[in-house]
């Protein structure tokens, strides 16, 4: 998405088709652990047996301890995803989830359980990006990419100043908002990279919608479709699915539908601006796109 956006902005191309695809279900057992752990620091994390779930669990345990956050707050993020996913015909999981089911599912890496973790998914998505002059000349309709921004952080969680601060997200969102010329309270909804429920809470904070440790106050009502800041109307990575290479493009497709009033049962009233957050690893890099009519 970002490369296509930049190539059009530079004048190199007028139209670019962007595709994202992933086929994960052919990989099983230890193979999927080895492949997914390639997003971690090989020398200081994966070499010692760490997995993405294990690193997310370490972050969650420290965060919960330092800010007095109960497990229920993490579970509520998954409950919200499944509620939205139950109304999305493209979601991998369309079952609603109760808070009891979310909290009592099979343990994965304490304090995270199966309902805190995004699934292995197959998926594909595509969008067509075009210059403004092409759109006008050919009388096409679409939504605008108001800004695109990327930022990086240390690969190793242990090298960061705070293990529960996604600094790449903080930097990227500030750049994206500045370029777009809009403010946080203008955002109609967000699609965020909640590969683990703990990241959903951290992203709410590091995107600037809650103070550190206070995202727990938003996950019960404010992130719902009719809340003050709807999150993951599509179902997010937990319910819609997490096919690595298709996630970012899929977010754009869902944002287009929302902004065009074509999101069906998940439609947010008067949706005007969308914030899309995609992330690599445990926050190594973050990409933000802000879209609007």
């Amino acid at each position: 998405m970002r490369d296509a956006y930049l190539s059009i902005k530079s004048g190199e191309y007028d139209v670019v088709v962007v595709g994202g695809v992933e086929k994960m279900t052919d990989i099983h057992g230890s193979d999927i652990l080895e492949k997914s752990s390639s997003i971690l620091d090989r020398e200081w994390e994966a070499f010692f047996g760490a997995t993405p779930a294990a690193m997310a669990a370490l972050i969650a345990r420290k965060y919960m301890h330092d800010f007095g956050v109960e497990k229920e707050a993490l579970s509520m993020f998954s409950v919200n995803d499944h509620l939205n996913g139950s109304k999305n015909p493209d979601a991998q999981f369309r079952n609603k989830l109760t808070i009891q089911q979310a909290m009592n599912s099979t343990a994965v890496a304490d304090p995270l359980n199966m309902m805190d973790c995004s699934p292995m998914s197959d998926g594909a998505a595509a969008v067509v990006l075009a210059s403004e002059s092409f759109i006008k000349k050919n009388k096409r309709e679409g939504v605008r990419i108001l800004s695109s921004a990327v930022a990086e952080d240390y690969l190793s969680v242990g090298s960061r100043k705070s293990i529960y601060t996604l600094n790449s997200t903080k930097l990227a969102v500030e750049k994206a908002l500045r370029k777009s010329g809009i403010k946080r309270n203008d955002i109609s909804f967000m699609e965020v990279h909640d590969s683990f429920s703990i990241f959903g809470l951290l992203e709410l904070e590091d995107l600037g919608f809650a103070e550190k440790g206070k995202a727990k106050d938003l996950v019960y009502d404010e992130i719902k479709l009719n809340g003050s800041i709807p999150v993951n109307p599509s179902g997010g990575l937990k319910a819609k699915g997490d096919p690595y290479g298709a996630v970012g493009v899929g977010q754009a497709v869902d944002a287009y539908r929302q902004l065009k009033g074509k999101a069906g049962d998940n439609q947010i009233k008067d949706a005007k601006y969308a914030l899309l957050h995609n992330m690599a690893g445990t926050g190594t890099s973050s990409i933000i796109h802000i879209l609007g009519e």
Side-chain angles (χ1 to χ4, degrees), residues 39-90:
I39 66 175
L40 305 177
D41 185 297
R42 277 293 188 182
E43 184 176 5
W44 296 107
E45 295 172 349
F47 179 80
F48 294 100
T51 64
M55 296 308 299
L58 286 171
I59 293 168
R61 179 58 70 196
K62 175 69 170 168
Y63 175 83
M64 292 165 69
H65 174 271
D66 286 3
F67 297 105
V69 176
E70 300 293 333
K71 175 68 174 71
E72 185 175 300
L74 277 66
S75 298
M76 281 305 301
F77 213 91
S78 299
V79 169
N80 181 70
D81 273 2
H82 273 262
L83 178 61
N84 294 344
S86 70
K87 295 175 280 187
N88 180 2
D90 294 329

Side-chain angles (χ1 to χ4, degrees), residues 236-281:
L237 274 63
K238 175 63 188 73
K240 183 189 174 188
D242 187 10
Y244 291 177
V247 169
V249 187
Q251 288 179 336
V253 172
D254 289 310
Y256 169 85
R257 289 172 175 165
Q258 284 286 348
L259 295 171
K260 285 297 187 182
K262 300 178 180 181
D265 292 338
N266 280 358
Q267 183 63 51
I268 295 165
K269 185 179 179 181
D270 300 325
K272 189 174 181 181
Y273 297 111
L275 188 154
L276 310 182
H277 167 266
N278 204 4
M279 188 171 77

Side-chain angles (χ1 to χ4, degrees), residues 58-284:
L58 286 171
I59 293 168
R61 179 58 70 196
K62 175 69 170 168
Y63 175 83
M64 292 165 69
H65 174 271
D66 286 3
F67 297 105
V69 176
E70 300 293 333
K71 175 68 174 71
E72 185 175 300
L74 277 66
S75 298
M76 281 305 301
F77 213 91
S78 299
V79 169
N80 181 70
D81 273 2
H82 273 262
L83 178 61
N84 294 344
S86 70
K87 295 175 280 187
N88 180 2
D90 294 329
Q92 182 176 357
F93 293 107
R94 299 187 62 193
N95 60 302
K96 294 180 182 179
L97 193 65
T98 68
I99 188 63
Q100 291 78 17
Q101 289 172 325
M103 292 186 67
N104 297 325
S105 62
T106 304
V108 174
D110 188 63
L112 306 181
N113 58 38
M114 189 166 63
M115 292 302 138
D116 292 300
C117 308
S118 61
M120 285 185 13
S121 309
D122 300 334
V127 294
V128 179
L129 272 59
S131 66
E132 190 168 354
S133 60
F134 180 92
I135 292 293
K136 289 179 178 178
K137 180 180 178 180
N138 293 277
K139 298 180 180 179
R140 300 286 184 174
E141 68 166 25
V143 299
R144 294 176 181 272
I145 298 178
L146 301 179
S147 64
S148 174
V150 63
E152 306 287 333
D153 200 355
Y154 290 102
L155 177 60
S156 171
V157 171
S159 297
R160 301 174 194 172
K161 292 181 179 179
S162 166
I163 71 169
Y164 46 62
T165 296
L166 303 171
N167 201 46
S168 64
T169 297
K170 294 180 70 173
L171 294 171
V173 75
E174 291 301 330
K175 288 195 285 186
L177 287 169
R178 185 170 63 252
K179 290 178 181 179
S180 70
I182 68 170
K183 302 183 185 305
R184 282 182 179 82
N185 58 12
D186 294 324
I187 300 295
S188 306
F189 67 94
M190 298 191 294
E191 289 283 345
V192 304
H193 191 280
D194 60 332
S195 50
F196 299 96
S197 60
I198 178 60
F199 291 151
L201 273 72
L202 300 186
E203 287 153 7
L204 280 172
E205 295 165 1
D206 294 326
L207 287 168
F209 292 90
E211 294 180 11
K212 185 56 64 178
K214 299 294 186 181
K216 61 184 179 182
D217 299 330
L218 303 182
V219 297
Y220 290 91
D221 294 306
E222 302 307 316
I223 65 172
K224 291 181 178 179
L225 292 177
N226 61 354
S228 63
I229 180 63
V231 175
N232 292 347
S234 69
L237 274 63
K238 175 63 188 73
K240 183 189 174 188
D242 187 10
Y244 291 177
V247 169
V249 187
Q251 288 179 336
V253 172
D254 289 310
Y256 169 85
R257 289 172 175 165
Q258 284 286 348
L259 295 171
K260 285 297 187 182
K262 300 178 180 181
D265 292 338
N266 280 358
Q267 183 63 51
I268 295 165
K269 185 179 179 181
D270 300 325
K272 189 174 181 181
Y273 297 111
L275 188 154
L276 310 182
H277 167 266
N278 204 4
M279 188 171 77
T282 53
T284 306

